[in-house]
Amino acid sequence: MSGRAPADAPLTRAQKFQWFLEKGLAEGLRPLPAGTDEAAAQRLVHALEDRFEILRTSLAVVDGELRQLVHPSGSPVRVVDVAPDGTAERSLADLVRVFTAHTHGRVGRFLVQFHLLRSEDRRWLAVVADNVAVDAGFHGVVDQQLTDLLHGRTDSPDTGGPHRRPGIQPAEQARREADPGEDTERTRALDYLRRHFSHAPARMHPHHPPGEGTAGRYYRSTLTLPGADGLFARGMAHTGLLPSAVVLAAFAQLLCLRADTDACTVNVSLDNRHNADLRRVLCATAQRSPVALRRQGRSLLEAAAEVQRTLAEGHPAYGRYDPFDLIRERVEAQHRRGVCLSTDLAFNFIPPPQGWRELIEAEPGPTDEPGSADRPGSTDGSGSTGGPGSMDRPGSRISWATTAETSYEYGASLSVRWADPHTVRLSVHGDSRVLEPEQCAALLRGVELVLTRAATGRDCSPDDVASAVGLLRLPRGPRERPSGGRWIDLRAIEDLLLALPGVTAAGASLEPGGASGTPRLTARVTAADGSTLTPFDLREELLRAVHTGAIPVVPDWFEIDGGDVSDGRSLPGRPAATAEETALLTALSGAGTEPGRAPDLDLCYLRAGGRPEHYPRFAELLRRLGYHPPGFAQVSGMTTLRSLAGELRPSGRAGGRPAAPAG
């Protein structure tokens, strides 16, 4: 690396989203000409680094703020010999494991690593990267640049996405986002988030935390759809709706029907929002926006029109909010409403490589569904499938396989990507405890059936589609009860209460007297003699379970036999009692709590005045005080400071500035 000092800049919003929230990985393998040596591979990577500064970027904490450092060059290319009995893919998997163990999510390391894999006369360029630097869209940009470089083309346009627009480097984008002129847009985005969380529905599916026996639990199921370009074009011509809106509506409505809920929240990726500014950033741009979608009754085309309107109206705000705003607003709304607002559905739609205009103007192909020209606009479901098996378009097929993951943020995540200009792949990354592979196949066939019917201008209902493809309703436990458009597991609440120290008996029930005529969820506990439990303690403990999704809602009312009776919202005001509690309060104050606000140990980090963007400074202060700091996921959740203090462990050393990126 040259001796020139790196240039620093703040993180972009998308980078912060990936670093603090998603922490994903990206990897790729590109064949190179036979006999490519290390020097040639290094020249190839240097050419990429000259164009894309994110390939030579690391992160560091500077004055308590996480910033990106753009270096003169990146991590040197390392040569890896493929084992005689191995494959390039297996060698890449080994590199990913090493990257995960020693580089991923750590400051002071380059975000992207390149390796030259060699086996006899075969060569591959392998890349392993933090998603802070590389996402699926940028993978395509880099791959195109590699193609141009290998073919000697050096004048190809700098591309930032499927439409080949000029790209914005991430440091430049970060400076744009920090410009005072962005204040109006940021305020609008924050208002959007506040409105969303004030009425967003609770989590749709029960949460199953990772643990032992997770092998085979997570899977990827893919529907390959040949002729999708013609299918999409005819659908737009007949309905005036973008295929992305039709797919998202079918996905959300069918899962609402399966879970028997009134609404769901889907995290929608930027590609589906058509946010040109963010897509042009040549680094990770996978920031997602939470969108609440309601059940629309019998018409899926009406639901698609509502989805399209919602996304179009949200366009000025989507991608403008800071991910820290998302965390803060969600945590505060969860506490205020006592409802789990973490979503378990995600949607990602990559626009066609040839563009929407080319699809619409293309010569329509033949109708794929026999007899589909009759009964246009039907919504009653009669004749909707066009005969047995008509949802199976010629050549469409479903494949699935388990993944090696042990945890995943979403219960079901649907992505729509192009395999070639005419073929689309609809892939669901699923949790088998939320959506079994067999039911996932039914869901994918249901989306295909909706697209096929939309291509002929015909409507259908979620019930009819579910019946045609065999999508079943989610089984419910003996103590689950519907209330307010969601299902509440009374047994789960009782079990959590019984697990608390000092509780000898517990019960939960839905009783008259709730707001707006809905039943009031009431919890009654019997406390052991000498217990100092209060309704506040009970509510705070259940709020932690709400944050993880273990239960969807906390009770509205708490009754302790022979003790207090209230909604559990009043603070006891208990002082610090241990060295760890004092250290947490000291670090929190030093990290810049709101002026005039005294931190309270019985509140979580955010509600006690801590700000997510100050977490690096908060963690550094705790290190200086001699403690291992809690992770960002802990402080950004509902865990109280008092509980965090009980988990603090001495570090035995003071913290320091991160070292220079490891070569």
Side-chain angles (χ1 to χ4, degrees):
M1 182 181 295
S2 108
R4 285 183 292 160
D8 76 303
L11 268 65
T12 66
R13 297 184 187 119
Q15 287 175 321
K16 286 188 286 187
F17 189 89
Q18 288 286 7
W19 183 263
F20 286 102
L21 296 182
E22 292 207 337
K23 293 189 178 298
L25 275 175
E27 70 270 1
L29 200 61
R30 173 65 185 258
L32 295 178
T36 302
D37 60 14
E38 183 177 356
Q42 189 68 69
R43 288 194 298 270
L44 192 64
V45 170
H46 278 323
L48 292 172
E49 292 173 350
D50 286 343
R51 175 155 292 192
F52 306 126
E53 65 184 26
I54 194 62
L55 300 180
R56 45 189 166 88
T57 295
S58 67
L59 300 187
V61 178
V62 180
D63 297 328
E65 179 188 0
L66 195 65
R67 296 177 71 85
Q68 54 179 321
L69 303 183
V70 182
H71 301 265
S73 60
S75 179
V77 175
R78 290 183 172 86
V79 177
V80 176
D81 289 313
V82 178
D85 59 344
T87 63
E89 289 75 15
R90 193 175 303 167
S91 295
L92 177 60
D94 292 338
L95 293 173
V96 169
R97 281 192 288 271
V98 173
F99 188 91
T100 302
H102 302 289
T103 302
H104 186 220
R106 291 167 173 81
V107 296
R109 311 293 176 91
F110 282 112
L111 297 172
V112 181
Q113 292 181 356
F114 287 96
H115 303 268
L116 175 63
L117 305 188
R118 61 187 184 188
S119 175
E120 298 179 347
D121 63 340
R122 302 185 65 188
R123 300 292 186 270
W124 299 266
L125 186 66
V127 59
V128 186
D130 195 305
N131 270 155
V132 171
V134 174
D135 64 359
F138 188 39
H139 254 308
V141 174
V142 173
D143 191 65
Q144 181 61 51
Q145 292 296 313
L146 279 171
T147 299
D148 293 341
L149 289 167
L150 289 170
H151 288 83
R153 296 194 295 267
T154 59
D155 58 348
S156 63
D158 193 5
T159 58
H163 302 296
R164 303 181 69 85
R165 297 186 180 93
I168 301 173
Q169 301 285 4
E172 176 190 356
Q173 178 69 11
R175 286 187 282 269
R176 291 185 181 197
E177 292 175 350
D179 187 276
E182 286 272 310
D183 286 346
T184 300
E185 293 293 345
R186 285 197 294 268
T187 299
R188 182 186 304 177
L190 184 56
D191 289 342
Y192 161 80
L193 280 177
R194 287 173 177 160
R195 290 195 305 272
H196 168 77
F197 286 120
S198 67
H199 66 268
R203 191 183 190 101
M204 173 185 290
H205 293 99
H207 176 70
H208 300 283
E212 294 184 4
T214 57
R217 169 175 165 183
Y218 301 98
Y219 64 89
R220 182 177 296 280
S221 185
T222 300
L223 168 67
T224 302
L225 199 60
D229 55 338
L231 192 70
F232 285 1
R234 292 193 296 276
M236 286 187 287
H238 281 291
T239 67
L241 298 169
L242 286 173
S244 52
V246 177
V247 173
L248 177 53
F251 177 57
Q253 297 292 307
L254 289 173
L255 284 180
C256 276
L257 179 144
R258 180 177 180 273
D260 199 13
T261 55
D262 291 345
C264 65
T265 296
V266 184
N267 278 354
V268 179
S269 77
L270 77 95
D271 290 287
N272 191 58
R273 304 198 303 269
H274 311 297
N275 190 318
D277 290 340
L278 273 182
R279 192 189 298 139
R280 291 170 62 199
V281 181
L282 296 182
C283 67
T285 52
Q287 182 173 345
R288 300 176 185 273
S289 292
V291 178
L293 302 174
R294 309 285 163 179
R295 290 181 72 173
Q296 297 293 318
R298 298 187 57 79
S299 171
L300 273 169
L301 290 185
E302 287 180 8
E306 178 65 17
V307 165
Q308 186 161 297
R309 183 192 64 79
T310 300
L311 296 182
E313 289 183 354
H315 172 80
Y318 293 178
R320 300 286 185 178
Y321 67 80
D322 193 295
F324 292 148
D325 292 336
L326 180 146
I327 294 171
R328 186 182 306 111
E329 292 300 320
R330 185 180 68 187
V331 169
E332 291 181 354
Q334 285 189 155
H335 173 264
R336 183 173 60 254
R337 297 178 56 192
V339 174
C340 176
L341 297 176
S342 298
T343 181
D344 54 355
L345 300 179
F347 179 66
N348 183 32
F349 190 104
I350 304 296
Q354 63 267 54
W356 296 115
R357 181 183 300 276
E358 289 81 355
L359 281 188
I360 296 174
E361 294 176 352
E363 183 70 24
T367 301
D368 295 292
E369 186 180 358
S372 59
D374 54 358
R375 302 189 59 79
S378 170
T379 60
D380 62 2
S382 60
S384 63
T385 62
S390 63
M391 72 286 297
D392 292 320
R393 300 180 66 255
S396 72
R397 64 186 186 277
I398 290 180
S399 62
W400 81 279
T402 59
T403 69
E405 291 168 285
T406 58
S407 65
Y408 190 61
E409 179 180 2
Y410 305 107
S413 177
L414 174 65
S415 64
V416 183
R417 301 178 184 275
W418 292 82
D420 59 51
H422 307 289
T423 305
V424 147
R425 289 177 179 159
L426 288 80
S427 297
V428 170
H429 193 154
D431 181 346
S432 58
R433 299 188 185 179
V434 170
L435 184 69
E436 305 91 334
E438 296 81 4
Q439 285 295 286
C440 180
L443 173 68
L444 288 170
R445 287 300 185 195
V447 174
E448 180 185 8
L449 177 57
V450 173
L451 285 170
T452 303
R453 292 186 57 76
T456 61
R458 293 193 294 166
D459 206 346
C460 48
S461 73
D463 290 279
D464 296 328
V465 173
S467 176
V469 299
L471 185 68
L472 306 177
R473 293 185 185 271
L474 188 70
R476 294 294 177 183
R479 295 294 309 282
E480 288 188 84
R481 301 288 185 273
S483 178
R486 57 181 177 261
W487 286 80
I488 299 174
D489 190 342
L490 301 178
R491 176 64 180 273
I493 295 174
E494 293 168 350
D495 288 345
L496 287 168
L497 291 171
L498 283 169
L500 298 179
V503 174
T504 59
S509 60
L510 288 165
E511 302 173 354
S516 305
T518 59
R520 184 174 73 177
L521 181 58
T522 301
R524 294 184 176 86
V525 304
T526 300
D529 292 340
S531 172
T532 58
L533 277 176
T534 67
F536 174 85
D537 297 319
L538 300 178
R539 188 172 191 273
E540 288 295 315
E541 288 295 331
L542 292 182
L543 277 170
R544 295 174 62 181
V546 159
H547 182 73
T548 63
I551 57 175
V553 60
V554 301
D556 308 297
W557 194 250
F558 296 89
E559 298 180 4
I560 300 177
D561 290 348
D564 296 338
V565 175
S566 76
D567 59 8
R569 296 174 183 268
S570 58
L571 289 174
R574 295 171 291 209
T578 67
E580 289 76 18
E581 291 174 357
T582 301
L584 269 177
L585 291 179
T586 301
L588 189 61
S589 298
T593 55
E594 296 177 18
R597 182 169 184 174
D600 193 305
L601 285 163
D602 289 307
L603 297 177
C604 66
Y605 173 84
L606 296 179
R607 288 167 46 225
R611 300 180 66 85
E613 59 266 38
H614 293 164
Y615 166 75
R617 188 181 311 168
F618 170 76
E620 179 67 16
L621 289 172
L622 275 176
R623 289 191 187 96
R624 293 179 183 177
L625 292 169
Y627 294 97
H628 290 291
F632 180 78
Q634 291 173 285
V635 302
S636 67
M638 303 294 289
T639 305
T640 65
L641 293 176
R642 196 178 298 278
S643 296
L644 289 176
E647 300 172 2
L648 279 186
R649 296 293 179 266
S651 64
R653 63 178 178 84
R657 294 176 65 89

